[in-house]
Amino acid sequence: MATLKTALKHLLTGPLGSLFWALLGLMVALAVLPGQQVFGLQESYLGFHSLVELTCVMVAVLSALAIFNSYRTLSTQYLCVGSLLALSAVMDSLHLLSMPGMADLFSPNTLDKAIYFWLLARLSAISALLLLSLSHLSDQPARFPRLILISFLAAGVVALVAVFGYLQQLPTLYIPGRGLTPLKISLEWGLAGMSVLAGIILLRSSRLRQRRDREMLTLAAWVTALAEICFTLYGSANDEFNILGHVYKAVSYVLIFRALFLSHLRYPWKALTETRTTLTHQEQRWNLALTGSDTGVWDMNLVTDELFASAQFHQILGYRNGALPRDAQSWRERLFHPDDLEHVMASFDEHVAGRNAHWRCEYRFLDASNKWRWLQANGQIMAFDEDKRPTRIVGTVIDIQTRREQEQRLAETRRRLQTLFDTTPTGMLVIDHLGVVHQHNPMLEQLLAPHEIVIGEENIWRWVSNDHDAQALQHWQAWQGQDATQRRESTWHRELRMDLYGHGRAGQPLWAEWVIAPLPEENLYLLLIEDISARKQATELLLENAGLYRSTFESGNAIKLLLDPENGEIVDANAAASDYYGHSLDTLKTMTMQDISLTPLITRQQRAHQTLAQHEGHFETRHRLAEGAIRDVEVFVAPVVIGGRTLIYEMVHDITARKEAEQGLVLLNQRLSRDGLYRQHLNQLSTYLFELDDINGVVPLLKAYLPRCFPDTSGELALRIEELDQAHCITWGSPLAAQPAFEYRQRLTTATGALGRMTLQAVPLDDEDRQRLERMTDETARILTLTLINLRLRSQLTNHAYRDALTGLYNRRYLNETLPELLAGCSDEAPVSLALLDLDHFKRLNDTWGHDAGDQVLVALGEILTQRLRATDISCRYGGEEFIVVLPGANAGIAMMRLNEVLEQFGRWSMTIGDDRIEHLTFSAGLIEARCQSRDMSTLIEMADQALYSAKHAGRGRVHQVEQALPLT
C-alpha cells in the first residue's frame, strides 16, 4: 500500500495531474471574471444539456457493463458498484427528461423535479466511488446477487415514487429570480465533500492493483467535487458555472469508465492472451521433443489386449514400420525373452492393480536380426472405464543395449580383478584416506593371524608400532598432499614394525614392507603388505655378530656385496651376485660400484655417509649387468666391521618385475581415468544431443564437446547434411598430419547415404590404447548418426501427421486440434470466420478428364489459398474436393472479400490437356462468423455447409454467408 505522499506525487505531477490543474484553474478563472450568460435561449441550452447528459448516461451504462462482464470475480462490492452506476444512468436520464422545455414526464416538468433527479444521480455515482475505495471487503463471489439487485431496484422505485408523486411535499431547491436555496447548496457541498473523501481513500486503496487505475478514479472523484462546487455557484440554468459543471461531470464519467474498463477488461484480457500464448508455445515444444526423441512410444488397450508401437519403436529394433504384431499375446509368446517374461508380467500386473503409480521395467526383446536387445520400458495408466478399471496404458521405451554391454564388461573386469586380489600371495587391502579398511584378501588374514580384521572399523595405523607411528603418518600425509597427477604416478613405500604377532613365534615383532598405490575411485588406495621379518632379523644379526655374518653372507639366494664406503670398491661378493651380474667373483672384486650402478657418484657417497651414521638404510636404484641389460633393484644397506675395517654391507633384490607391475598399475589408472573422463563427456554430449529439437543446434554442441571427449588427439568431423545451409568441418587439437603415427576414420552413414566422416589422429601407447581410440571413434560416430537421423525424422513425422499428402495443406486432424482452441477464445473484438469450399462440377471434371487432372486442380486451388490468405489463416483439405478455411481475427466482411479474391484468381487459372484446355473453374462456399465462445466446431461446420448448399442452389461460383443462407434452409 502506497503512502499518501507518494500517491499524491504520482497523481499531481503526471499527465492526470496536468488535467486536474487545468480544470481547477479554469474554474478559478471563471470565478474571478464577471458572470456571463452562455446561452441566450432556453432551446440552445437544452440542446447542450441533452448532449452532455446523454453522453454521461451512455458512459455510466458502459461502466456498469464493464463490471458485469469483467474477467475478474463479481464480488459483492463490485456488484453494488455496477448497480449504483446503472442507477445513476437511470436518474440522469430522468433528470434530462424532467428539464423545463422537455415533454412532461408523468407530471409537469419543473426545475425542482430535474434537480432532485440530478442529486439522486450524483449521490449514486459518488457512492460507487466511495465503495470502490473500500479495501476491507472480500473478493469472494457475491452470495446473494439477486437480492442485491432487487434492493437497488427497490431503492430506485422508492425514489421515483417520491419525486413523481410527492414533489409538492419535498423542500424547494431553486426559486426563479432568486437562485439556489441554502438546502440545495448544502447538499451540493455535501456531495463535493464525499467526492474529495472518496478520492483520498482511493489513493490508499490496495484493491485496485494498477496504480494508473487508482489515479484515474481519484481524479474522477476530485473532478466530480469541482463539478458539485460549480453547481453551488450558478444563478441560472444557462450561466457559465452551470455549463462548466456539466462539462466537469462528463469528464469524471469518462475517467471512471476508462479506469473500470482497463481494470476489468483490458488488463485481464491481456494477461489471458499472454498466458494462452505461453501455454501454446510450451505445448509445441513438448510435442516436438516427444516426436523427435530417441524414444519409442507404445499404447496398449487392456480391453482388447491390443498393442500399438510407434515407428521409432520399430526403428530401435530394426523392424520396418508396422511389422510388429498388434496382439499383445504374440509379444508375450515370441518377442519377450523367456527368462524375463515372468518378472515383466509381474511388475506390469502390479501397476495395473494400482499398487504402483508408474510401470518401469528392463527386459530383453527380440529384434529384427533375431538377437536379444535390452530395452527399458516406462508406462502409466491413462484411461479407466465406468467401474474404475484401467482400459489403456501408454508408455515409452528406450534402447539400453550399450549400457548393459558396458555393465557386463565392467562386471567381468571386476571379477578378474577380484580373483587376482583374492589369490595373490601378498597381503592386499583397500583403504581410504584415513586408513580405514574397506576390503582385504585371505593372505592378509594369514599374515595378521590371530588378529581379526573388522571391515569398516579397523584402522591400519593402529597396527604400527608407537616408535614408527608418528613418522609414518607424517610421511603418509605429505604424500597425500601432492598434486593428484603426481600421486597417481607414484607409490607410498615404507618399512614398518607392527605391534601384531604371528607365525607361531610369540614375542617376535612383525616387520612388514608397505606399498600404497591410488585407485581410480576417489579417496581409495590399494595397500600391499609383505612380511620382511626374516630379512630384518638377518640384518640385525649381522650387526650384532660378525661371526654369523660370513655364513649369512655366503648362504642364501640373496645378492650380497661388501663395499668400501670411501671409493665404492667391491671388497667382496657372494655367488648369487656373480650369477646375477654375469661377472666372475674375481672380476667383481676388481670392480667399483661406478661400473655397476647408474646412480651418480656424489649421491652414492652421500648414501654411504648416511648409512654409517644411521647404521642402516634402504633405497632403490638401477644396476647394469654384464650383457648390458639395465635392471631395477632394491638395496638394503648397513655398516659392518670386519677385521677392524668399516665396510658397507649391501643386500640387493631385483625389483624389475615389481617396477613394471607398478608402472603397469599407474598406466592402468591413467587409462581408466582417461576412459572415465571420455565416458563422462560423451554421456553429457549424448544427453544434450538427445534434448535437441533443431538440427542447427548439433554443430555448436559438437564444437564444444568433441575436444573434451578426445583430449591429446587431433581430429576432424566433416558433416554434409542437406538440412543445414552449408557443409561444416569441426576440428580439434593440432592440424592433421599428412603421415600420422595413427589415423582412424569412420563414416557417418545411413540407408540413404553418408552424413559425414570422422577422422582421428593420435600417438597410442600400445595396441590396447589403439583399440580404445578406435572404439571411442566408432561409438561417437554411431551416437552422432542416430542423433542426426532422429532430428531428420522429426520434421517428417510432423508433416505426415498434420499435412495433406496431395495439396500440402493442413488435414482434418490438424483442424480438429486447432479450431476448438480458436473458438474458445473468440469474441466480438476477436471473431473467427470459417468457410466451407466445394469445387463446382468436380465429379464431371474427373469423369471427363480423369483423376490426374482432378488432382492437379486440387493442387492448384491449394496453392492459390496459400498465396492469397494470410500466414495466420488455416487452409485445410477437409475431404475429396471440400476445403475448410479458418480466418482468426477476421469478421465476415473481411473473410468474404478474401474468399472472393481466391474465387476470382481460381477462375483465371487454366491448364492444357492434349489439345483441350480446362479453364473458368469455380467453387461454391459457405461462410460463417463466430463471435460467441459457446459455439462448437461441428455446429459451425454444419451451418457453413447450409450456406454452401444455398450457394450451390443460387447458381454456384459464389460465397454465401450464414445470414443469407438460413432462410433458404
Side-chain angles (χ1 to χ4, degrees):
M1 182 181 295
T3 63
L4 183 59
K5 180 179 178 181
T6 304
L8 284 172
K9 179 180 178 182
H10 280 297
L11 174 60
L12 299 180
T13 58
L16 295 177
S18 302
L19 177 61
F20 173 74
W21 292 117
L23 296 176
L24 180 60
L26 178 60
M27 189 186 75
V28 172
L30 291 179
V32 175
L33 296 174
Q36 298 181 15
Q37 296 293 325
V38 179
F39 294 98
L41 299 175
Q42 181 67 17
E43 291 79 5
S44 301
Y45 170 74
L46 281 178
F48 163 77
H49 180 267
S50 299
L51 178 62
V52 173
E53 292 298 333
L54 284 175
T55 302
C56 294
V57 168
M58 288 189 292
V59 173
V61 171
L62 291 175
S63 300
L65 290 176
I67 292 178
F68 291 142
N69 292 279
S70 171
Y71 286 95
R72 299 175 56 178
T73 302
L74 191 59
S75 62
T76 302
Q77 179 190 14
Y78 281 109
L79 182 59
C80 293
V81 170
S83 300
L84 286 170
L85 290 174
L87 189 59
S88 70
V90 173
M91 294 303 171
D92 275 331
S93 300
L94 295 175
H95 164 71
L96 169 63
L97 298 175
S98 300
M99 283 294 293
M102 302 291 287
D104 291 341
L105 182 66
F106 298 113
S107 63
N109 288 347
T110 63
L111 198 54
D112 263 2
K113 177 181 174 182
I115 292 175
Y116 271 111
F117 282 124
W118 162 271
L119 292 175
L120 290 173
R122 307 312 301 134
L123 179 61
S124 298
I126 295 171
S127 299
L129 289 174
L130 276 172
L131 195 56
L132 279 174
S133 66
L134 299 180
S135 301
H136 62 278
L137 295 180
S138 173
D139 275 332
Q140 298 298 325
R143 297 183 59 185
F144 306 105
R146 294 185 179 179
L147 180 59
I148 294 173
L149 293 175
I150 292 173
S151 300
F152 279 100
L153 180 61
V157 171
V158 170
L160 293 179
V161 172
V163 175
F164 282 120
Y166 302 94
L167 182 63
Q168 301 300 327
Q169 285 78 19
L170 297 177
T172 301
L173 301 178
Y174 181 82
I175 301 175
R178 295 175 57 184
L180 300 174
T181 64
L183 176 60
K184 167 64 165 62
I185 295 175
S186 300
L187 291 176
E188 293 288 359
W189 276 107
L191 292 174
M194 290 175 61
S195 300
V196 173
L197 178 62
I200 294 174
I201 299 176
L202 277 167
L203 280 180
R204 301 293 301 275
S205 174
S206 63
R207 297 186 62 80
L208 297 173
R209 297 175 178 83
Q210 296 288 338
R211 177 177 60 81
R212 186 171 177 82
D213 298 345
R214 291 201 308 269
E215 293 175 358
M216 284 186 184
L217 289 175
T218 301
L219 183 60
W222 289 354
V223 171
T224 301
L226 294 178
E228 298 305 321
I229 294 174
C230 289
F231 287 111
T232 64
L233 300 176
Y234 74 90
S236 64
N238 53 356
D239 68 2
E240 70 277 13
F241 284 107
N242 189 298
I243 303 302
L244 187 62
H246 280 86
V247 173
Y248 284 4
K249 173 188 173 183
V251 171
S252 67
Y253 269 62
V254 172
L255 290 173
I256 291 173
F257 169 71
R258 173 72 174 170
L260 293 177
F261 176 78
L262 290 176
S263 177
H264 290 263
L265 292 177
R266 177 173 293 180
Y267 293 147
W269 169 252
K270 183 178 180 182
L272 181 63
T273 303
E274 292 175 353
T275 303
R276 182 181 294 114
T277 302
T278 302
L279 291 175
T280 301
H281 291 167
Q282 291 177 350
E283 182 179 359
Q284 290 175 351
R285 288 194 296 269
W286 182 86
N287 287 331
L288 288 175
L290 180 60
T291 55
S293 64
D294 190 13
T295 304
V297 179
W298 54 270
D299 188 342
M300 182 175 182
N301 190 325
L302 297 177
V303 178
T304 61
D305 201 30
E306 292 183 342
L307 198 148
F308 164 78
S310 68
Q312 185 66 30
F313 195 126
H314 287 76
Q315 184 180 359
I316 290 174
L317 299 170
Y319 292 101
R320 60 180 178 82
N321 191 17
L324 289 174
R326 294 296 299 270
D327 58 303
Q329 185 62 29
S330 299
W331 288 46
R332 292 188 284 267
E333 293 176 352
R334 296 191 293 106
L335 300 179
F336 283 107
H337 195 284
D339 296 340
D340 299 336
L341 180 60
E342 183 177 353
H343 85 87
V344 169
M345 296 308 302
S347 61
F348 187 81
D349 293 339
E350 287 280 329
H351 176 60
V352 173
R355 288 186 283 272
N356 293 326
H358 302 275
W359 180 59
R360 180 186 179 92
C361 186
E362 295 182 0
Y363 53 84
R364 284 164 289 184
F365 201 85
L366 192 66
D367 63 10
S369 58
N370 287 326
K371 295 182 180 179
W372 297 109
R373 178 170 292 275
W374 279 98
L375 302 178
Q376 177 180 301
N378 296 273
Q380 187 174 3
I381 297 173
M382 301 299 293
F384 297 86
D385 59 12
E386 296 178 354
D387 298 329
K388 301 301 182 181
R389 290 177 299 190
T391 60
R392 181 187 176 198
I393 295 182
V394 178
T396 60
V397 65
I398 60 175
D399 183 4
I400 59 171
Q401 180 68 24
T402 303
R403 192 195 77 189
R404 279 286 189 166
E405 291 175 353
Q406 292 175 350
E407 291 176 353
Q408 185 177 0
R409 288 196 296 268
L410 181 60
E412 186 176 349
T413 302
R414 287 179 175 174
R415 283 195 298 270
R416 289 198 298 266
L417 292 176
Q418 188 64 42
T419 302
L420 179 64
F421 184 80
D422 293 337
T423 57
T424 184
T426 304
M428 300 178 68
L429 63 158
V430 178
I431 62 173
D432 60 17
H433 67 288
L434 299 176
V436 177
V437 179
H438 290 259
Q439 187 180 1
H440 65 83
N441 67 344
M443 187 60 193
L444 185 66
E445 294 181 347
Q446 299 178 15
L447 181 64
L448 302 184
H451 178 75
E452 295 184 0
I453 304 173
V454 182
I455 300 298
E457 299 180 4
E458 192 82 20
N459 194 301
I460 61 173
W461 302 115
R462 298 177 184 172
W463 304 343
V464 182
S465 171
N466 294 334
D467 298 339
H468 295 192
D469 186 15
Q471 185 178 5
L473 271 176
Q474 183 178 4
H475 188 260
W476 164 251
Q477 293 170 356
W479 183 78
Q480 278 191 311
Q482 298 180 104
D483 181 75
T485 304
Q486 297 177 353
R487 191 166 65 249
R488 283 196 300 269
E489 296 177 353
S490 64
T491 58
W492 188 84
H493 193 178
R494 298 284 288 181
E495 292 181 358
L496 300 173
R497 188 174 67 188
M498 304 171 64
D499 284 339
L500 302 173
Y501 301 90
H503 307 287
R505 299 188 300 273
Q508 296 296 326
L510 174 63
W511 279 91
E513 181 179 18
W514 288 19
V515 179
I516 302 179
L519 292 174
E521 291 83 357
E522 187 176 359
N523 292 330
L524 288 181
Y525 304 88
L526 177 66
L527 170 59
L528 285 74
I529 299 181
E530 181 181 1
D531 185 1
I532 60 170
S533 299
R535 189 176 72 194
K536 285 301 253 184
Q537 291 173 8
T539 303
E540 291 176 359
L541 289 174
L542 285 173
L543 295 174
E544 294 175 357
N545 193 340
L548 294 177
Y549 155 72
R550 198 69 212 172
S551 60
T552 304
F553 184 80
E554 298 291 345
S555 63
N557 295 324
I559 303 168
K560 302 167 187 176
L561 299 172
L562 279 178
L563 307 177
D564 189 321
E566 299 297 330
N567 53 27
E569 293 179 351
I570 300 176
V571 178
D572 199 358
N574 67 349
S578 176
D579 295 338
Y580 180 74
Y581 289 109
H583 301 286
S584 65
L585 288 175
D586 294 336
T587 304
L588 279 175
K589 293 178 182 180
T590 62
M591 299 172 65
T592 65
M593 287 305 297
Q594 188 174 355
D595 299 325
I596 296 176
S597 176
L598 301 183
T599 304
L601 176 62
I602 186 169
T603 303
R604 291 200 308 272
Q605 291 175 348
Q606 291 174 354
R607 287 176 177 170
H609 295 157
Q610 185 177 3
T611 301
L612 294 175
Q614 299 180 357
H615 301 292
E616 64 178 5
H618 165 266
F619 57 88
E620 294 179 359
T621 184
R622 308 184 77 187
H623 283 181
R624 181 186 298 108
L625 305 185
E627 69 273 15
I630 305 299
R631 307 290 291 180
D632 290 305
V633 295
E634 184 179 31
V635 182
F636 299 90
V637 296
V640 61
V641 179
I642 298 177
R645 183 181 178 187
T646 301
L647 302 176
I648 299 295
Y649 171 80
E650 288 191 358
M651 184 180 294
V652 180
H653 292 280
D654 191 319
I655 60 171
T656 302
R658 193 185 77 187
K659 280 291 186 179
E660 291 176 351
E662 291 177 356
Q663 185 177 4
L665 180 60
V666 172
L667 182 60
L668 178 61
N669 288 340
Q670 292 175 350
R671 288 179 177 176
L672 290 175
S673 176
R674 183 172 52 198
D675 195 43
L677 187 60
Y678 156 74
R679 293 291 176 187
Q680 177 183 352
H681 290 310
L682 185 60
N683 289 338
Q684 290 178 353
L685 175 60
S686 178
T687 300
Y688 291 146
L689 288 174
F690 176 78
E691 295 173 351
L692 285 177
D693 56 2
D694 187 359
I695 199 170
N696 292 313
V698 172
V699 174
L701 270 179
L702 295 180
K703 288 182 179 180
Y705 275 90
L706 284 179
R708 306 180 193 175
C709 293
F710 297 94
D712 303 327
T713 66
S714 299
E716 176 183 275
L717 176 63
L719 294 177
R720 298 185 303 274
I721 308 172
E722 62 184 14
E723 286 81 3
L724 298 178
D725 296 336
Q726 59 183 0
H728 291 271
C729 184
I730 303 168
T731 61
W732 63 90
S734 57
L736 296 182
Q739 296 181 346
F742 165 77
E743 181 177 85
Y744 186 71
R745 296 182 179 182
Q746 182 58 267
R747 294 172 64 85
L748 280 66
T749 59
T750 65
T752 59
L755 300 176
R757 184 182 66 187
M758 183 175 178
T759 304
L760 188 70
Q761 293 184 357
V763 183
L765 301 177
D766 48 30
D767 290 340
E768 183 179 351
D769 195 29
R770 182 190 303 269
Q771 295 174 2
R772 179 186 65 84
L773 292 172
E774 292 177 355
R775 288 196 306 271
M776 290 165 51
T777 306
D778 292 340
E779 187 172 357
T780 304
R782 184 181 64 83
I783 291 176
L784 294 180
T785 302
L786 292 176
T787 300
L788 295 174
I789 292 174
N790 291 338
L791 290 172
R792 173 177 288 176
L793 290 177
R794 179 176 306 167
S795 60
Q796 298 176 2
L797 290 175
T798 302
N799 285 336
H800 291 166
Y802 295 113
R803 292 285 184 178
D804 176 57
L806 177 63
T807 63
L809 301 179
Y810 289 113
N811 56 20
R812 183 180 293 194
R813 176 185 296 174
Y814 182 81
L815 181 69
N816 292 338
E817 294 183 6
T818 307
L819 184 55
E821 297 181 2
L822 295 176
L823 294 177
C826 69
S827 63
D828 291 341
E829 292 79 9
V832 175
S833 294
L834 180 144
L836 179 62
L837 284 66
D838 185 86
L839 289 177
D840 295 331
H841 305 299
F842 186 72
K843 183 177 182 305
R844 185 170 62 190
L845 187 147
N846 275 336
D847 294 341
T848 304
W849 307 107
H851 289 281
D852 290 342
D855 289 346
Q856 294 184 47
V857 172
L858 294 175
V859 171
L861 180 56
E863 293 176 351
I864 294 172
L865 288 172
T866 303
Q867 295 170 1
R868 300 299 301 182
L869 299 181
R870 301 170 301 175
T872 56
D873 296 335
I874 301 172
S875 301
C876 301
R877 185 182 178 191
Y878 196 61
E881 68 271 22
E882 288 187 332
F883 295 79
I884 285 184
V885 177
V886 181
L887 299 94
N891 56 30
I894 296 175
M896 178 71 74
M897 177 184 66
R898 292 176 180 164
L899 290 173
N900 284 326
E901 292 175 355
V902 172
L903 179 60
E904 181 181 354
Q905 184 173 345
F906 184 57
R908 293 195 301 267
W909 181 86
S910 63
M911 62 179 290
T912 302
I913 298 180
D915 296 332
D916 299 325
R917 187 175 184 84
I918 300 176
E919 57 185 352
H920 304 305
L921 298 176
T922 62
F923 62 79
S924 302
L927 173 64
I928 183 170
E929 175 186 341
R931 294 179 176 270
C932 179
Q933 299 178 5
S934 62
R935 288 293 179 88
D936 60 272
M937 172 181 167
S938 59
T939 302
L940 287 176
I941 295 177
E942 181 179 355
M943 296 175 70
D945 188 51
Q946 295 177 11
L948 170 63
Y949 180 77
S950 172
K952 291 282 188 181
H953 277 264
R956 293 185 172 85
R958 64 197 64 204
V959 181
H960 273 194
Q961 193 176 342
V962 164
E963 287 78 3
Q964 302 170 354
L966 284 179
L968 296 177
T969 59

